[in-house]
Amino acid sequence: MDLGIAGRTALVCGASKGLGYGCAEALVREGVNLVIVARGAEALEAAAKTLQASAAGGAARPFVKHVAADITTPEGRSAVFAVHADYDIVVTNAGGPPPGDFRDWDREAWVKAIDANMLTPIELIKTTVDGMAARGFGRIVNITSSSVKAPIDILGLSNGARSGLTGFVAGVARTGVAAKGVTINNLLPGSFDTDRLKGTLAGAAKKSGQDIDAIRASRQKNIPAGRFGTPAEFGAICAFLCSVHAAYVTGQNVLADGGAYPGTY
């Protein structure tokens, strides 16, 4: 299915690997120009080369530019907008804060979590949404977490910061921008086969003394789909939300978790 977004320009955050890379790959294969940003310069450059090679369009292949910066800082955002000013698509994505016990988190830990996982996406929305509305097309997708719907006890920093973003998006997506062709949605990943998940499994194995393969199998057994998701699957969902076909979808929390969250019908 043609998603109708060839020639558009997207900013994809945290795109050097994992879910951010999956989103960037799906978009560039649809002919979308990319500006990708992440902190690790070497991994980001390698990702940019791979993405450029997989870009759709033959002679009219889209460009892939990369900016090694911390998008959660004003300097990082300035560097991104210096490379390209007007974006039709923005995919926000920042690594989740560490797990732990809320008794151990001081104000600095909370401010850091909120800055990365709530205020940074809001800053990116604020910087781009009016330009999108003026041009009559815009798609903003925030990669958050399934913990927004099913909070995880040891992820209090993430639960709090991402829930704050969820509430903000629920309001701003329903303002005047919706009538001007701009949608804002949140994409909530469950368990996807990424480096972050592998690190989590390794930590659980070390703590419990169990074999990592046994822990992996146990976690997958508790997912109705019987497996972890792939970054490519996640990217395909993101690309659809960015497409012309999703123009009537806004202010939503789209859960991709293989059925792990029971929810309601």
Side-chain angles (χ1 to χ4, degrees):
M1 178 172 63
D2 181 3
L3 298 186
I5 50 177
R8 299 286 185 183
T9 300
L11 167 64
V12 184
C13 303
S16 62
K17 58 183 178 180
L19 301 182
Y21 180 87
C23 293
E25 183 177 43
L27 289 171
V28 80
R29 286 181 174 174
E30 291 294 326
V32 175
N33 297 307
L34 291 180
V35 176
I36 60 174
V37 57
R39 285 172 293 194
E42 187 175 342
L44 185 66
E45 183 176 0
K49 289 180 179 178
T50 304
L51 289 167
Q52 188 68 79
S54 65
R61 288 164 68 186
F63 66 71
V64 178
K65 300 178 181 180
H66 62 285
V67 182
D70 184 351
I71 197 67
T72 69
T73 67
E75 296 79 12
R77 292 189 290 273
S78 293
V80 164
F81 287 99
V83 168
H84 191 90
D86 298 319
Y87 293 96
D88 306 298
I89 296 167
V90 174
V91 180
T92 77
N93 177 31
D101 188 316
F102 78 94
R103 298 171 183 83
D104 299 326
W105 297 325
D106 57 15
R107 177 179 174 79
E108 184 179 352
W110 277 106
V111 169
K112 186 176 181 180
I114 292 169
D115 196 32
N117 298 115
M118 178 182 171
L119 298 182
T120 292
I122 290 174
E123 287 291 338
L124 292 172
I125 293 169
K126 184 171 71 173
T127 305
T128 59
V129 70
D130 290 334
M132 291 175 176
R135 294 188 297 273
F137 179 92
R139 299 288 186 267
I140 298 173
V141 177
N142 304 299
I143 299 176
T144 63
S145 171
S146 61
S147 66
V148 169
K149 285 185 175 288
I152 300 169
D153 57 355
I154 62 171
L155 296 181
L157 290 172
S158 179
N159 296 339
R162 296 189 194 279
S163 294
L165 176 63
T166 301
F168 171 80
V169 167
V172 73
R174 292 170 172 83
T175 63
V177 299
K180 295 180 180 179
V182 180
T183 69
I184 309 175
N185 293 289
N186 303 316
L187 185 48
L188 286 53
S191 296
F192 279 79
D193 205 353
T194 63
D195 287 347
R196 182 175 175 85
L197 178 63
K198 291 171 185 174
T200 301
L201 294 176
K206 183 177 180 180
K207 184 176 181 179
S208 66
Q210 291 181 274
D211 181 76
I212 190 170
D213 291 333
I215 292 178
R216 184 183 184 92
S218 176
R219 297 266 181 103
Q220 290 177 325
K221 186 178 180 180
N222 290 325
I223 300 171
R227 61 179 179 84
F228 298 140
T230 69
E233 289 176 313
F234 189 84
I237 301 169
C238 180
F240 172 75
L241 289 175
C242 295
S243 76
V244 297
H245 308 296
Y248 207 55
V249 180
T250 195
Q252 301 303 306
N253 293 294
V254 179
L255 183 64
D257 70 346
Y261 173 68
T264 57
Y265 62 87

